[in-house]
Amino acid sequence: MSDLEISLEEGESGGRYFYREGDNLAEMTFSSAGHSLMIIDHTGVPDVFRGRGIGLALVSRAVEDARAAGKKIVPLCPFAAAQFRRHPEWADVLNR
């Protein structure tokens, strides 16, 4: 969906997707609930990145990875929840 280089750091209990440009960092953090559920709890995009679709790229990458791993997503973060409402094609990974 995007040509931005979104990186992933992951541990046993969760992790983050992030995009870095110079000293600026945008990130989306998540917690893991078992092996099949990802809970997106925060998305932070600095003002310098606003309007460039970086927040959407972070959530999109999580959706792609969840699909590939057979996981479901709980979008607790208001930004992520709004993106799920805007993208009904992501319904297959939305935990209802």
Side-chain angles (χ1 to χ4, degrees):
M1 172 171 234
S2 171
D3 60 353
L4 296 171
E5 187 175 328
I6 303 298
S7 299
L8 169 64
E9 290 180 347
E10 190 171 17
E12 287 187 34
S13 62
R16 70 180 183 146
Y17 288 92
F18 64 95
Y19 173 75
R20 183 182 310 274
E21 191 175 280
D23 292 334
N24 298 302
L25 176 73
E27 72 176 354
M28 183 192 74
T29 60
F30 64 91
S31 299
S32 298
H35 295 291
S36 62
L37 194 61
M38 174 189 295
I39 302 166
I40 297 174
D41 48 35
H42 173 74
T43 304
V45 177
D47 288 340
V48 69
F49 291 155
R50 301 255 184 231
R52 293 179 46 192
I54 294 172
L56 173 59
L58 293 168
V59 180
S60 295
R61 169 73 191 276
V63 168
E64 292 169 11
D65 288 356
R67 267 196 193 117
K71 293 183 179 185
K72 296 288 187 179
I73 295 176
V74 176
L76 289 183
C77 162
F79 176 81
Q83 293 306 315
F84 268 86
R85 287 191 298 275
R86 290 183 185 115
H87 294 275
E89 69 273 18
W90 295 350
D92 61 310
V93 297
L94 180 61
N95 188 62
R96 297 189 187 271

